[in-house]
Amino acid sequence: MNEQAFVGEFHGEKAIWLRSGRYEAALLPEIGGNLVAFREIDKGFHFLREPNPTDMESFKERPISHGIPILFPPNRYEDGNFTLNSRQYRLPVNEESTHNHIHGFFYNIPWKVADYGVNDKESYVIIEQNVDEKHSAFLNFPHYFHFSIYYSLNEEGLTQRVSIVNNGLEPMPCMLGFHTTINAPFSTNSHSEDYLLNMTIGERWELNSRMLPTGHYQELIKEERAMKEKGISPYFESMDNHYTSLPQQGRNVMILTDTKEQVKLIYDVGVKYKHWMIWNNKSSGKYFCPEPQINLVNAPNVNLPSEVTGLLLINPGECWTEQSRMYCEYMNRS
């Protein structure tokens, strides 16, 4: 399949490039470990929203709406505070309009490249964070842990394997998500109206004026029900919505169909992600974010069972893992 993995550049920034067959991908280790590009070379499809050369400075200042930003913890936490196991956590309030903490510690800092290369089946890169008292996250999240992500590329598409190991002596909350930013259209031959979105959403969470869950559900409107079934435009209305996930046939997926090109982009995120956010930048018609999350937004502050909120604790010495895959499927091929 002519796999390649090499150090190169992406608009002047250091990048690890992966290539395999019809696919290529680029990861920026110095900018949040963001896998910023995933492309189908033969057709010229750019599945992820990539920053343009003129966007790079603003992208580096806030690398959250391009590529696959890493959110730990994901989304918003009320006043930046929560208490678990008698330990109080104080996260920086970095969203002034809501007075919440948003998006965590890892999306905008450098990641170490632990390894990259090729083997007999794929090209790959491994990035990692080793968190201890010397790490910038430790002040607000005082746990010892190892966080690694293995990205690989082969004929089956882009695979992401996450591993989080608790190296400390007490249970550690594991709250993770990805602000995956999808181009729609991803083909230069298509328009936004050519696209249909399907997602394995379950219930919609009610959010208050601070974009925090109230603990109650809202009834799905007909367009949201269509999202679960026959599909609907990802821009049917402005969305900044939070849902439970409801896997179908054992799969937790987002499927984006280009009806003109007759191709489907499939984002199979794994069933351990119990919640979705969907944000479409005020129905921009250009890109949207199907965001898989382990936990409910603000989960530690919501008075519901952990089975509902997805609030997860990793015991000392234990490891949490999950695998996701993104790939395209042609509808007119047998």
Side-chain angles (χ1 to χ4, degrees):
M1 291 298 294
N2 192 30
E3 282 82 10
Q4 299 178 57
F6 58 93
V7 178
E9 287 192 353
F10 182 93
H11 301 331
E13 297 295 327
K14 177 184 175 181
I16 307 296
W17 282 91
L18 305 179
R19 289 181 179 148
S20 181
R22 59 187 170 134
Y23 292 120
E24 69 177 1
L27 182 139
L28 305 181
E30 301 298 318
I31 308 178
N34 193 327
L35 192 130
V36 77
F38 174 48
R39 306 168 179 168
E40 208 276 20
I41 302 169
D42 295 341
K43 295 288 188 179
F45 298 157
H46 287 218
F47 297 119
L48 298 175
R49 182 181 183 232
E50 304 173 20
N52 295 318
T54 55
D55 297 333
M56 289 304 291
E57 288 307 311
S58 59
F59 165 67
K60 285 188 285 186
E61 288 177 11
R62 194 172 185 274
I64 206 65
S65 56
H66 298 82
I68 307 180
I70 302 160
L71 311 183
F72 186 103
N75 215 278
R76 295 175 173 89
Y77 297 82
E78 185 175 6
D79 302 320
N81 296 330
F82 61 88
T83 301
L84 280 173
N85 286 351
S86 301
R87 179 194 286 273
Q88 187 169 21
Y89 297 81
R90 296 186 181 277
L91 314 183
V93 172
N94 55 1
E95 187 179 54
E96 229 175 82
S97 61
T98 63
H99 201 261
N100 295 323
H101 173 79
I102 188 167
H103 293 333
F105 313 115
F106 296 121
Y107 72 91
N108 59 354
I109 66 171
W111 284 65
K112 178 184 176 183
V113 178
D115 192 17
Y116 68 93
V118 300
N119 53 39
D120 58 356
K121 60 181 180 179
E122 62 194 12
S123 58
Y124 67 88
V125 59
I126 305 171
I127 57 173
E128 65 181 7
Q129 297 281 347
N130 284 296
V131 178
D132 57 19
E133 66 275 2
K134 298 176 184 177
H135 195 282
S136 59
F138 193 83
L139 176 66
N140 303 111
F141 194 80
H143 291 277
Y144 297 84
F145 64 105
H146 181 257
F147 183 1
S148 66
I149 302 179
Y150 182 110
Y151 280 109
S152 63
L153 205 62
N154 61 19
E155 61 184 0
E156 295 181 348
L158 174 71
T159 297
Q160 177 203 67
R161 300 183 186 95
V162 177
S163 173
I164 301 174
V165 180
N166 182 357
N167 292 325
L169 300 177
E170 56 187 320
M172 182 190 91
C174 181
M175 299 181 287
L176 173 69
F178 294 91
H179 207 278
T180 307
T181 310
I182 302 292
N183 277 329
F186 54 71
S187 168
T188 56
N189 297 324
S190 302
H191 303 282
S192 59
E193 54 266 28
D194 296 319
Y195 284 78
L196 292 175
L197 172 66
N198 295 83
M199 287 183 67
T200 51
I201 61 170
E203 304 283 355
R204 177 175 174 176
W205 289 103
E206 179 183 64
L207 303 178
N208 64 21
S209 60
R210 295 176 64 183
M211 298 301 293
L212 300 171
T214 65
H216 302 290
Y217 296 130
Q218 291 180 306
E219 184 176 353
L220 297 181
I221 62 174
K222 65 178 181 179
E223 289 85 358
E224 291 170 309
R225 294 195 298 272
M227 199 191 319
K228 298 173 64 171
E229 298 164 0
K230 63 183 180 180
I232 193 167
S233 167
Y235 309 114
F236 70 84
E237 68 175 13
S238 178
M239 284 193 286
D240 195 351
N241 301 346
H242 195 18
Y243 302 92
T244 63
S245 66
L246 185 63
Q248 297 178 14
Q249 299 178 329
R251 300 176 68 210
N252 192 23
V253 297
M254 182 283 302
I255 301 174
L256 182 65
T257 303
D258 184 320
T259 59
K260 185 175 182 180
E261 294 278 9
Q262 288 289 285
V263 62
K264 295 182 178 183
L265 174 66
I266 300 171
Y267 185 30
D268 190 336
V269 303
V271 297
K272 291 182 182 178
Y273 295 102
K274 305 294 186 181
H275 301 269
W276 289 101
M277 286 293 301
I278 306 178
W279 178 70
N280 65 6
N281 191 31
K282 300 180 181 178
S283 193
S284 67
K286 297 179 180 178
Y287 62 90
F288 73 103
C289 298
E291 306 170 33
Q293 297 184 183
I294 294 175
N295 58 285
L296 177 69
V297 169
N298 199 37
N301 295 319
V302 179
N303 188 25
L304 289 171
S306 58
E307 294 81 10
V308 177
T309 65
L311 185 58
L312 175 68
L313 292 174
I314 304 177
N315 289 319
E318 290 187 347
C319 176
W320 183 92
T321 63
E322 183 57 294
Q323 177 171 301
S324 302
R325 186 161 68 100
M326 189 179 293
Y327 60 100
C328 68
E329 237 176 41
Y330 291 94
M331 300 161 65
N332 55 2
R333 293 182 183 177
S334 57

